[in-house]
Amino acid sequence: MLKHTFAVLTLLALPLSAAEYKIHTWTKHHITPHFWAEGGHFGDFNHDGKGDVVVGPYWYAGPDFKKRHTIYTDKVAPKDSFEVTKDGKKIQAPGYRGELSGKNGYSNNFLTYTYDFNSDGWKDVLVFGWPGKETIWYENPKNKPGLWKAHVIFKITDGESPDLKDVTGDGKPELLAFQNGHLGYGEADWSNPAKEWKFVPISPKGKYQRYTHGYGAGDVNGDGRADILEKDGWWEQPKKVGGAPWRFHKVPFSLLRGGAQMYAYDVNGDGRNDIITSWDGHGYGLAWYENQGTEKDGSVKFNEHVIINSKPEDNPYGVKFSQLHAIDLADINGDGLLDIITGKRFWAHGPAKDAEPGAPAVLYWFELTRKNGKAQYIPHQIDDNSGVGTQVAAGDVNGDGLLDIVVGNKKGAFVHLHSVKKVGKKLWQAAQPKRVH
């Protein structure tokens, strides 16, 4: 099923010449209303030169995303509606279906990534199914009929936001995750990436469990090596990896349960990587932590900057929403700075739990601007009826040089295609977000 909803929902200027004004528009393709996954990704899976989208067990052929192809068999057929209980009453929730039994309202597909794992020139699909369960990459059959061959790389992967990151600096991705109470990463044998990957623990055994929130990777102290981030601090990668745990630096990036994917990025342009994180994947809070420099003892001081929180007055533009369970960084407007893409996860635990479950499922990008050495994020709404899952993916899906956004969640599967329009100065000025605080 394909629904086209055409709307100019987000308007923003690109860097301007003396007489050039541009605004951004988004075209929403509602690929399916069925709940197959809490994330999705993209790639040209059939080598026809057109970008495709993968959400759950299916990939949808571009450019119109109407034709569906099966990667792996789902055990339960999707339901057009699902009976759930809210305020003691049973209601029909569109597309809200169970993981296996049709009773618990969860999908056995938390995140999806695409990468050419076997280096044959065709993009494969990695699926992190459920915290504490298998992680599998599916081998692209190169247009041959049938299901894709499954390669189990981990029988158990813990955490709610495993991510493909180049932790070791070898130019290949590792899988950032938890296992057996340890934070660490999975490393492939690239001579045989189909066999089970090696898990490299970087922490002692601790509090980490299958539903741990909030972690990421990036170079915090500027030594050229990727450190690993978590809600309570960061783990410093040593010059030589192996044996002893990495050094831990305690920093309260979240005093709550932790949010989504975390990033190390130079927000204010001072040459030091700052930290970007949400505070609670089921509550409120989005912030960046300004790197104040490395101390003699190797620690780093940070200054907190709140972007949005639980009240409209916490943001200069009056924006607030809950359940920021997915974050991506990407240069949406082509100005060379990475912007934040996030939104409200729709019904993480159903219609009666978490913060504001009935509020609109918004999707935003926050434009990073810099002036006089100071950074600011300007919010731009893309949509108010799709939101995010545990993943949101930005990238050039249709090959036009502009970044699009893929979403999978309990509302179904979406791709928001991005375009830019030249306008006059007055229309451009009218389209700019307005400060209210």
Side-chain angles (χ1 to χ4, degrees):
M1 180 178 181
L2 174 64
K3 291 183 180 179
H4 298 281
T5 304
F6 300 96
V8 181
L9 293 171
T10 299
L11 307 173
L12 180 73
L14 290 169
L16 303 178
S17 65
E20 185 179 72
Y21 296 87
K22 297 178 181 179
I23 60 176
H24 293 265
T25 65
W26 302 86
T27 302
K28 178 170 71 173
H29 291 253
H30 195 179
I31 299 174
T32 176
H34 300 308
F35 172 38
W36 288 111
E38 291 282 2
H41 221 267
F42 54 90
D44 182 6
F45 302 121
N46 57 357
H47 277 205
D48 66 352
K50 300 177 178 66
D52 313 306
V53 169
V54 54
V55 177
Y58 305 112
W59 68 270
Y60 302 83
D64 58 11
F65 314 108
K66 290 181 178 179
K67 189 171 182 180
R68 189 179 81 174
H69 303 264
T70 304
I71 295 174
Y72 63 90
T73 300
D74 194 283
K75 295 181 175 126
V76 174
K79 296 180 180 293
D80 291 324
S81 64
F82 187 82
E83 192 173 72
V84 295
T85 300
K86 182 179 182 182
D87 299 328
K89 298 179 181 180
K90 290 183 177 180
I91 63 173
Q92 293 296 320
Y96 191 65
R97 56 176 287 276
E99 177 197 355
L100 296 177
S101 65
K103 294 181 180 179
N104 62 6
Y106 293 109
S107 165
N108 195 28
N109 186 312
F110 246 52
L111 299 100
T112 298
Y113 298 99
T114 58
Y115 186 78
D116 182 9
F117 290 101
N118 57 359
S119 302
D120 64 356
W122 295 70
K123 269 199 171 183
D124 310 300
V125 172
L126 181 143
V127 173
F128 167 66
W130 183 260
K133 295 187 178 181
E134 295 176 333
T135 295
I136 301 170
W137 72 266
Y138 293 91
E139 185 176 344
N140 192 319
K142 306 182 205 178
N143 288 330
K144 294 178 182 177
L147 301 179
W148 295 25
K149 186 176 181 180
H151 304 285
V152 178
I153 64 171
F154 279 141
K155 294 183 178 68
I156 296 175
T157 313
D158 289 337
E160 293 208 5
S161 306
D163 202 353
L164 283 179
K165 294 282 188 181
D166 182 8
V167 177
T168 64
D170 63 354
K172 296 278 192 178
E174 285 74 44
L175 182 66
L176 187 65
F178 302 90
Q179 271 194 11
N180 299 317
H182 297 273
L183 173 58
Y185 58 90
E187 191 172 28
D189 175 356
W190 290 105
S191 66
N192 186 10
K195 72 178 184 181
E196 189 167 350
W197 290 19
K198 176 186 177 183
F199 183 75
V200 180
I202 62 96
S203 75
K205 189 168 184 176
K207 58 187 177 180
Y208 313 112
Q209 38 83 24
R210 63 192 301 184
Y211 301 119
T212 295
H213 289 62
Y215 47 101
D219 184 5
V220 177
N221 56 0
D223 63 3
R225 296 184 294 272
D227 308 300
I228 293 183
L229 318 168
E230 57 153 297
K231 77 180 191 69
D232 297 318
W234 59 284
W235 296 85
E236 181 181 348
Q237 182 170 169
K239 291 181 180 179
K240 187 176 181 181
V241 176
W246 296 9
R247 181 185 177 190
F248 180 64
H249 300 269
K250 187 174 182 179
V251 182
F253 294 125
S254 171
L255 295 175
L256 303 171
R257 84 185 80 195
Q261 297 82 6
M262 297 176 66
Y263 296 90
Y265 178 68
D266 184 4
V267 173
N268 57 1
D270 64 359
R272 297 188 292 263
N273 277 342
D274 311 298
I275 306 301
I276 298 168
T277 185
S278 57
W279 289 341
D280 188 342
H282 303 278
Y284 297 94
L286 176 67
W288 69 277
Y289 290 81
E290 184 179 355
N291 187 328
Q292 301 289 296
T294 304
E295 303 292 309
K296 290 183 179 180
D297 63 358
S299 64
V300 176
K301 290 186 177 180
F302 291 92
N303 184 27
E304 180 183 276
H305 298 269
V306 176
I307 301 172
I308 64 171
N309 202 357
S310 60
K311 299 177 182 178
E313 52 266 35
D314 295 324
N315 177 264
Y317 297 85
V319 172
K320 70 103 174 178
F321 54 87
S322 64
Q323 302 196 50
L324 289 77
H325 212 304
I327 297 176
D328 201 2
L329 287 191
D331 183 6
I332 294 294
N333 60 353
D335 65 355
L337 303 179
L338 297 186
D339 309 301
I340 297 173
I341 301 93
T342 188
K344 177 184 176 64
R345 184 182 175 192
F346 176 65
W347 280 10
H349 296 122
K353 297 181 179 180
D354 302 321
E356 295 187 279
V362 294
L363 177 65
Y364 271 83
W365 69 282
F366 289 79
E367 179 208 8
L368 173 59
T369 63
R370 295 172 180 164
K371 186 176 181 180
N372 299 325
K374 294 185 177 181
Q376 182 187 3
Y377 283 100
I378 302 174
H380 305 278
Q381 187 180 109
I382 297 168
D383 187 45
D384 65 356
N385 193 24
S386 57
V388 300
T390 53
Q391 179 185 23
V392 60
D396 186 2
V397 174
N398 59 3
D400 64 356
L402 299 172
L403 298 189
D404 313 299
I405 298 173
V406 176
V407 172
N409 61 19
K410 294 179 179 71
K411 284 184 174 289
F414 305 84
V415 57
H416 299 270
L417 296 181
H418 179 196
S419 57
V420 175
K421 180 181 179 181
K422 291 183 180 180
V423 298
K425 183 178 180 179
K426 287 186 178 180
L427 181 56
W428 174 80
Q429 288 176 331
Q432 301 312 296
K434 305 298 189 292
R435 294 178 67 104
V436 295
H437 301 292

